[in-house]
Amino acid sequence: MKVLKFILISAVTIFLSSCNNKNGVYDASGTFEATEIVVSSEGNGRILSFDVIEGETLKKNQQVGYVDSVQLYLSKKQLQKSINAIKSRHPEIQKQIAVIEQQIATQKIEKQRVENLLKANAANQKQLDDIDAHIALLEKQLEAQKSSLIITTKGLNEDVSTIEVQIEQLNDQLEKCRIINPIDGTVLVKYTEENELAVPGKSLYKVADIENMIFRAYLTSDQLTKIQMGQKVKVFADFGQETRDYDGKIEWISSKSEFTPKTIQTQDERANLVYAIKIGVKNDGYLKIGMYGQLKLQIEE
């Protein structure tokens, strides 16, 4: 009787142990994460509009507010006026050289007349030489004036280009006064309010893509031989008394080992070094950041 009683107690103990060993069917444990981005201010000034609510879903490139940009806009207008003023000083090259060109044309006509008179012995060679010298002088004056006007025009154009770069800088600053949401996601935390002062680098809110969750788990070196990038796996989310399973795909495998995190238990508890992996999981609305879960590498057909 004592032997039979011992066998029954042992069998019950083994059965209860196997029932309680919930982690036996899993290959690893981990937590759910999401791609979180802290959106910071790029502008400097008072926040005139800020339409962000915690828990709200925002679209990528959606404008959610803007910072006061009046002074930047006025500076831009001032620079634009400066460009107009510089352009008004541009020399009209053709008009300014027209007088000399006309003088040269007149002297060439006079030269033709003197040459005809010289053939008829009605003029002397000195008169022709004087006209040639005058034409040469006028042509040098024309060349010098053209060069001077071109240099002046080039200098003014450089001044305009410099101001245009300053306007581009202001346009960039004006654009940064717009608060643009960077990703499709849900607002997790709101750090500031409308009418507060914004400075570059000030945190405004945190947004995360919770529709596409990431399950971070840790595997031993022995388990690495069972996985590869793009492999489909099963992820089980722990809801306390209930467990939900999700289809997942391995998106990243760490290239180096690390010590087992204190909050994670691997299948082989004696292993000191593990490799982190990331598994993409589509959220059905129940998964939360920081929630614990389990991983099964082999999917049963």
Side-chain angles (χ1 to χ4, degrees):
M1 289 295 294
K2 289 183 179 180
V3 174
L4 179 61
K5 185 176 180 181
F6 175 79
I7 293 174
L8 289 173
I9 293 175
S10 300
V12 171
T13 302
I14 294 172
F15 174 76
L16 291 176
S17 299
S18 61
C19 291
N20 290 331
N21 185 18
K22 296 174 66 178
N23 292 330
V25 297
Y26 302 123
D27 296 299
S29 301
T31 56
F32 287 93
E33 303 174 350
T35 301
E36 300 180 8
I37 295 179
V38 176
V39 181
S40 301
S41 172
E42 294 184 279
N44 188 9
R46 190 164 60 91
I47 301 175
L48 299 181
S49 175
F50 191 49
D51 302 323
V52 171
I53 301 173
E54 291 184 355
E56 178 185 20
T57 300
L58 300 176
K59 295 292 184 181
K60 183 178 180 180
N61 295 327
Q62 176 181 342
Q63 181 172 340
V64 296
Y66 60 89
V67 178
D68 183 13
S69 60
V70 173
Q71 294 303 316
L72 292 175
Y73 175 71
L74 293 177
S75 296
K76 178 182 174 180
K77 286 190 67 176
Q78 183 180 15
L79 291 176
Q80 290 173 333
K81 292 291 184 182
S82 298
I83 287 179
N84 294 335
I86 292 173
K87 288 182 176 180
S88 68
R89 298 201 302 270
H90 271 215
E92 296 182 356
I93 296 177
Q94 193 56 45
K95 288 184 178 181
Q96 295 195 29
I97 65 175
V99 175
I100 297 180
E101 287 179 336
Q102 183 60 46
Q103 290 176 353
I104 292 174
T106 302
Q107 288 299 311
K108 286 182 177 181
I109 294 173
E110 181 65 18
K111 177 183 178 181
Q112 184 65 42
R113 188 180 69 83
V114 172
E115 286 177 343
N116 292 334
L117 291 175
L118 188 60
K119 289 177 182 179
N121 294 322
N124 55 50
Q125 185 64 39
K126 184 177 182 305
Q127 289 177 301
L128 184 60
D129 292 342
D130 289 343
I131 292 175
D132 285 337
H134 192 197
I135 290 175
L137 177 62
L138 289 173
E139 287 178 342
K140 289 182 179 179
Q141 289 178 350
L142 178 62
E143 184 179 352
Q145 188 168 3
K146 280 184 177 180
S147 177
S148 176
L149 292 173
I150 290 173
I151 292 174
T152 301
T153 301
K154 185 177 180 180
L156 293 174
N157 289 337
E158 289 295 331
D159 291 341
V160 169
S161 298
T162 301
I163 296 178
E164 286 176 341
V165 171
Q166 294 176 7
I167 290 177
E168 290 178 5
Q169 292 174 337
L170 286 176
N171 285 335
D172 180 63
Q173 293 178 38
L174 285 168
E175 183 65 24
K176 289 178 178 178
C177 286
R178 300 169 62 235
I179 304 172
I180 304 297
N181 185 61
I183 62 170
D184 292 332
T186 302
V187 179
L188 301 181
V189 186
K190 183 179 180 181
Y191 298 115
T192 191
E193 297 292 340
E194 193 173 298
N195 292 316
E196 289 186 6
L197 183 65
V199 294
K202 178 180 180 179
S203 298
L204 302 178
Y205 65 98
K206 181 190 290 185
V207 63
D209 179 11
I210 61 174
E211 291 187 4
N212 300 289
M213 301 290 286
I214 298 171
F215 182 73
R216 180 188 288 268
Y218 296 87
L219 301 179
T220 63
S221 58
D222 294 337
Q223 293 173 310
L224 287 180
T225 59
K226 301 177 183 179
I227 65 171
Q228 60 183 351
M229 293 291 294
Q231 178 179 332
K232 293 182 179 180
V233 296
K234 276 289 184 182
V235 176
F236 299 84
D238 187 358
F239 292 88
Q241 300 298 323
E242 180 184 354
T243 300
R244 289 177 179 266
D245 64 281
Y246 296 87
D247 294 327
K249 184 171 70 173
I250 298 177
E251 297 180 346
W252 175 79
I253 303 173
S254 176
S255 60
K256 60 181 181 179
S257 61
E258 59 184 285
F259 286 103
T260 309
K262 294 181 179 179
T263 56
I264 302 297
Q265 289 184 351
T266 60
Q267 186 180 27
D268 185 2
E269 294 182 355
R270 293 171 298 177
N272 291 323
L273 295 176
V274 292
Y275 293 82
I277 64 172
K278 290 182 181 180
I279 300 166
V281 179
K282 197 71 175 178
N283 193 356
D284 59 355
Y286 290 97
L287 297 177
K288 308 297 180 185
I289 297 174
M291 183 179 290
Y292 286 95
Q294 309 289 341
L295 171 64
K296 190 174 182 180
L297 297 177
Q298 300 298 327
I299 300 178
E300 297 178 0
E301 300 294 340

